[in-house]
Amino acid sequence: PRAITEGMARHYNINASRFPEIIHNGEPRGVAFVVEPSVAIDSDTTKHSGSVRIFDQVGNAVSDEFEMQFMELERGIMAGVAVWDVHNQSGRVVAPKAYVAIINIRLVLEDGSLLEMKDIRRTVNISQNER
């Protein structure tokens, strides 16, 4: 997970039409979760899925589950992107502190086999800049 920068937004096509909830005053704000598989996956982006959910350090759910969108960055290079707008389930901006992201990913490899990664935990540190 990384704060969204202008370069990242350009590279991963993070824009208002794809992620309308993260545009504030015309600029992307929030945290992006990016998966760039190091194995060859099927080029049909609809075959892949991923989701992210945010929890506080105690284990309370902070966000609803949000889906990862898969895309071809350039010929043969695929990526999955999910964006958290740093709002909680009530629609309020979260406090600047550490959170835990739980990520689940399901990829279809070129040979048709499945690669599933469940309950990947990553710490997300929210600062004033992401809010």
Side-chain angles (χ1 to χ4, degrees):
R2 295 184 296 181
I4 298 170
T5 63
E6 187 177 323
M8 175 190 280
R10 223 180 6 262
H11 183 73
Y12 293 108
N13 199 20
I14 299 171
N15 57 49
S17 63
R18 295 192 60 182
F19 301 99
E21 69 279 4
I22 58 95
I23 304 300
H24 299 279
N25 297 325
E27 299 202 13
R29 292 277 167 95
V31 177
F33 299 85
V34 177
V35 174
E36 286 191 49
S38 59
V39 296
I41 64 173
D42 194 294
S43 61
D44 182 352
T45 58
T46 63
K47 292 183 178 180
H48 313 295
S49 62
S51 63
V52 180
R53 190 149 187 215
I54 308 297
F55 296 85
D56 64 18
Q57 292 291 329
V58 181
N60 298 308
V62 173
S63 76
D64 292 325
E65 184 174 82
F66 47 99
E67 298 298 315
M68 194 164 274
Q69 296 182 26
F70 285 83
M71 68 195 86
E72 188 170 24
L73 298 177
E74 52 188 78
R75 189 174 173 92
I77 298 177
M78 307 290 285
V81 177
V83 176
W84 178 34
D85 65 357
V86 298
H87 285 74
N88 64 20
Q89 292 171 317
S90 300
R92 293 186 183 98
V93 175
V94 298
K97 63 179 185 177
Y99 296 89
V100 176
I102 305 294
I103 306 163
N104 292 294
I105 302 165
R106 182 180 179 273
L107 303 173
V108 177
L109 304 182
E110 275 188 337
D111 66 5
S113 61
L114 293 178
L115 174 61
E116 291 188 274
M117 295 170 276
K118 295 184 177 190
D119 297 332
I120 301 165
R121 296 176 189 278
R122 294 290 182 263
T123 300
V124 181
N125 292 304
I126 300 300
S127 70
Q128 288 296 118
N129 295 337
E130 288 86 33
R131 300 174 39 154

